[in-house]
Every structure is written in C-alpha cells, then in structure tokens.
Amino acid sequence: MPEAAEALVLVSDAASVRTLTLNRPQALNSFTTGMHTELLAALEAAAADAGVRCVVITGAGRGFCAGQDLSDPAVAPNPEPGGKQPDIGDLIERCYIPLALRIRSMPVPVIAAVNGVAAGAGANFALGCDIVLAARSASFIQAFSKIGLVPDCGGTWLLPRLVGRAQALALAMLGDKLPAEEAQRIGLIWRCVDDASLAVEAAALAARLADMPVKALAQTRLALDAGGGIDYAAALAAEARLQSTMGASNDYREGVAAFMAKRKPAFRDR
Ligand code: T3D
C-alpha cells in the first residue's frame, strides 16, 4: 500500500494553544494550493473548536514561508511572448484573500512565530497575524517587485499602517531583505528573540493570551482595524457599542469578580 502523503500543515495542541506548522521545508514552506487548502481547513477547525484559545503559526525547517510556490505549473508564466498567460489574480482571490480574511476574523488571537525567511505573500500573511514574534535570524522580504508583481495578501494595506509610507514604499519597491531586528526597530513586527528561544517564547506568549478574555481580544483587533477608516468621533461611538456587548459578557463578570476577590480570573468566552 502506498504511504499516506505527509501533511502540508502539522497541527498540534498544548492545553488550549493550537500550533499550525507549515510543512514544505524543502521549498521554504512556499504555498501550493494543497498547503492553502490544509491551512485554511486547520484555521477553520481552530475557529470552530471551543477548546482552542490561541493559535500559533510557524514553519518547519529553516524558513517560515517563501510566498507563492513559483514552480507551480498553474501559475507559471507562458514563455511565449503574446501567449495566453495564467490569471494569477484568480489564484489570489481563491487562496490568499480567504487566508488573510480568515486570520483577521479568528475568534482567538493568532501569533506568527517567524522562524526564518518570510518572503512575498509569506511575509504579508505573517504581518496580518495579531502578534509577530520572530527569530533573530529571520527576515522579511517584499519579494514581489523582483518578479514584476505588487504586494499582495494584504501588503498594500498593512505595510503603510505598520511602518508609514516612506518605509513601506522602500520595502515594497526595493524588495530588500529586512532582518528581524530591523523589522522590530521600525515597528513592522512586535519583537525578535534569540533563535533558540523562539518556540519557548511563542508558547509562553500563546499560553498567556489563552488565559486572557480572548473574546475581548478578538473584538479589540476588529476595533483597531476599523479605526483606521473612521474619524475620532465615529471610533468613540464604535468603542461604546463594543463595550455594550463586552460588558454583557461572562468574561467581564468574571474579570470584575476576580478583581474584587483578589483572585486569578478564569476566562471562558470565545
Ligand atoms: O503566482 C504568483 O506569483 C501569484 C502569487 C503571488 C504571491 C507571492 O508570494 S509572490 C512572491 C513569491 N516568492 C518569491 O519571489 C520568493 C522566492 N524565493 C527567494 O527569493 C529565496 O528563496 C529566499 C530569499 C526566500 C530565500 O533564499 P535562500 O538563498 O535562503 O534559499 P534558496 O536556496 O533560494 O531556496 C531554498 C529552496 O527553496 C530552493 O530549492 P532547491 O534549489 O533547494 O531545490 C528554492 O528553489 C526553493 N524556494 C524558495 N522559494 C521558493 C522556492 N520554491 C518555489 N517557490 C518559492 N517561492
């Protein structure tokens, strides 16, 4: 009997933290449609599982994710000048947009633990996670300009918001490798840590978040993202509406009760 193909996304649980590991190390975990399918399914499963309170995404081997697998025949440019070219916009709509939106709408915090190079859509999908922790040897590359494309997987929206227009344009146009320490310095990511401590630090951060009122954390992400497109008064009104919802939650009741009783809260909502 033929052996079952190895999973392209490894799934493991530790208490209420689910870790998803991209698993195409021989190609720096670049995206094939198969890996997209498995990653989206794994995120859907985590979102639907009430026992999961934080998700960590990382990569197997020396890379995090090198973006689209450029050897995939489905997206290979036709070498004939004037010949019919594949519509890669269609691939973006089928695979990258659902991935980016799924991460952005997860009911729990999502950490990217960037263990190595993150290039192209691999960089932007990491930057779309809630907290980006990177190994000191990791790097971020807006590789698109090197192959005649524009940043995708949310890059055009994320980059200027994270680092401002000047840095965003230089990163996107030059496509230079940005070391993790520099990425932290300019505010592209939250923090970088020694390579040997990445897994431990990511697990500790995830456990800490999982213990928090994750429903409020997910709403915080939504409110912060929405805040960029509305004026101050509208943001204040949106905060009031959100607090109406959160104030009626079990976690709020529990948080206040725990504070008053000087005990550790046990948050359960999602
Ligand atoms: O269809 C579309 O393009 C639409 C979708 C767009 C979204 C995008 O993500 S566009 C951007 C695509 N990604 C890139 O352009 C990055 C390409 N990769 C690189 O520039 C370099 O590999 C890195 C800078 C990321 C790392 O360099 P290095 O020197 O550390 O490693 P390497 O030797 O280049 O790569 C190691 C192996 O991974 C190598 O295979 P081999 O020779 O050992 O058999 C290499 O071919 C493979 N690999 C790396 N990136 C990709 C890849 N294979 C397929 N697709 C890749 N993106």
Side-chain angles (χ1 to χ4, degrees), residues 100 103-104 110 123-130 132 153 158 162 221:
I103 288 174
R104 220 62 178 179
V110 182
N124 292 341
F125 121 81
L127 298 178
C129 294
D130 296 324
V132 186
C153 208
L158 290 165
L162 289 169
R221 173 210 298 136

Side-chain angles (χ1 to χ4, degrees), residues 56-124:
V56 177
I57 304 179
T58 192
R62 73 175 177 90
F64 174 74
C65 175
Q68 171 62 32
D69 184 326
L70 297 175
S71 70
D72 184 347
V75 294
N78 185 339
E80 279 304 312
K84 185 169 167 19
Q85 298 297 338
D87 182 355
I88 56 177
D90 179 57
L91 174 77
I92 303 299
E93 286 189 8
R94 277 188 293 110
C95 294
Y96 289 95
I97 293 179
L99 170 64
L101 292 178
R102 179 66 274 190
I103 288 174
R104 220 62 178 179
S105 61
M106 287 294 283
V108 298
V110 182
I111 297 170
V114 180
N115 53 300
V117 65
N124 292 341

